[in-house]
Amino acid sequence: MGKLVTEMLKGTLEGIVLAILSGRSAYGYEITAWLRDQGFSDIAEGTIYALLVRVEQRGLVDVEKVPSEKGPPRKVYSLNAQGREYLEEFWTTWSFLAGRLEQLREGGK
Amino acid sequence: MGKLVTEMLKGTLEGIVLAILSGRSAYGYEITAWLRDQGFSDIAEGTIYALLVRVEQRGLVDVEKVPSEKGPPRKVYSLNAQGREYLEEFWTTWSFLAGRLEQLREGGK
DNA sequence: TACCAGTACCTAGCAACACGAAGTAGCTGA
DNA sequence: TCAGCTACTTCGTGTTGCTAGGTACTGGTA
């Protein structure tokens, strides 16, 4: 979409990915494809992989290497307890921000 | 509030400030105080000033120097036509993002 | 066999942005 | 005089997403 989305994704993309993982386990390539399908048309592959490495290092997800019939083995990520806790925090923060924004939008009309 | 908000503000703070300016003209110190009042308790002053310089350079706001009785002259910013256009784009992008997030939140339960 | 497309992951360098910390400057009241 | 509020500025840092490469495995096709 453009620069605006890119900047807005900073700080939210992590939550988005964790939210996806809260529903089901998934691997990088899959997540990227899904996001592109959902309208984040120009999400960069590298971005997702780097993000996954980050959340893994922070201990928010568990990883399992699963062989694929169509290429190299997949690194399947799943949200663990710590990750769920973090995701809760994320939603709280998001709600706060979204609330302020909504208020501003109303007031601005 | 913490690191989460800080990261989320990247990309949205600009829109927030422009939205404020769409309602009324304001100067940096005033905007900072207002934001802190609204719950953005630890917004850094420097952040707002830098942001205002940025949007001015992009031609989204007009500036007027107004003397103050209580200190140095104020730089009063007001949203111009280009700024309003940009703000519209911001709201569009925000809506898109908020929509996706809301959907993820529903699905994740 | 050689090559390409699709799958799947990784990395290095860059730009944008918010923050922390410090500084400048003007005014008022104790 | 000096502390405290008002008001703006600047520099260095950390985090983050993007660009642009690269590696590696598979299957189909010329």
Side-chain angles (χ1 to χ4, degrees):
Chain A
M1 285 193 67
K3 258 187 80 247
L4 268 174
V5 190
T6 293
E7 287 309 320
M8 275 192 214
L9 281 178
K10 291 184 181 176
T12 52
L13 184 57
E14 192 174 285
I16 290 173
V17 170
L18 293 181
I20 292 172
L21 292 179
S22 83
R24 48 181 168 76
S25 302
Y27 55 98
Y29 191 82
E30 188 186 7
I31 294 173
T32 306
W34 188 82
L35 285 173
R36 286 188 171 147
D37 206 53
Q38 293 296 305
F40 298 96
S41 43
D42 35 54
I43 275 279
E45 265 200 289
T47 298
I48 300 300
Y49 288 115
L51 189 156
L52 288 170
V53 167
R54 244 157 41 218
V55 293
E56 183 189 352
Q57 282 172 347
R58 288 188 210 156
L60 306 179
V61 293
D62 294 330
V63 193
E64 194 190 354
K65 201 162 249 179
V66 176
S68 162
E69 326 82 41
K70 297 186 178 177
R74 299 166 174 163
K75 285 181 73 177
V76 176
Y77 294 84
S78 50
L79 203 62
N80 61 28
Q82 210 181 323
R84 284 180 200 288
E85 211 175 305
Y86 184 85
L87 185 56
E88 272 312 304
E89 263 186 83
F90 171 81
W91 284 128
T92 303
T93 305
W94 170 261
S95 297
F96 166 73
L97 190 61
R100 294 297 144 214
L101 264 290
E102 208 44 58
Q103 222 173 305
L104 268 171
R105 197 175 197 172
E106 302 294 317
K109 277 178 180 168
Chain B
M1 286 195 66
K3 258 186 82 254
L4 268 174
V5 190
T6 294
E7 287 309 320
M8 275 192 214
L9 281 178
K10 291 184 180 175
T12 52
L13 185 57
E14 192 174 285
I16 290 173
V17 169
L18 294 180
I20 293 172
L21 293 178
S22 83
R24 49 180 167 76
S25 301
Y27 55 98
Y29 191 82
E30 188 187 5
I31 294 173
T32 306
W34 188 82
L35 284 174
R36 286 187 172 147
D37 207 54
Q38 293 296 305
F40 297 96
S41 44
D42 36 52
I43 275 279
E45 265 199 289
T47 298
I48 300 300
Y49 288 114
L51 189 155
L52 288 170
V53 166
R54 243 155 44 216
V55 293
E56 183 190 351
Q57 282 172 345
R58 289 189 210 156
L60 306 178
V61 294
D62 294 329
V63 193
E64 194 190 355
K65 202 162 248 178
V66 176
S68 161
E69 325 82 40
K70 297 185 178 178
R74 298 166 175 164
K75 286 181 72 176
V76 176
Y77 294 84
S78 50
L79 203 63
N80 61 28
Q82 211 181 322
R84 283 179 202 288
E85 211 175 305
Y86 184 85
L87 185 56
E88 272 312 304
E89 262 186 84
F90 171 81
W91 284 128
T92 303
T93 305
W94 170 260
S95 298
F96 166 74
L97 190 61
R100 293 299 143 211
L101 264 289
E102 207 46 58
Q103 222 173 304
L104 268 171
R105 196 175 199 172
E106 303 293 317
K109 278 180 179 166

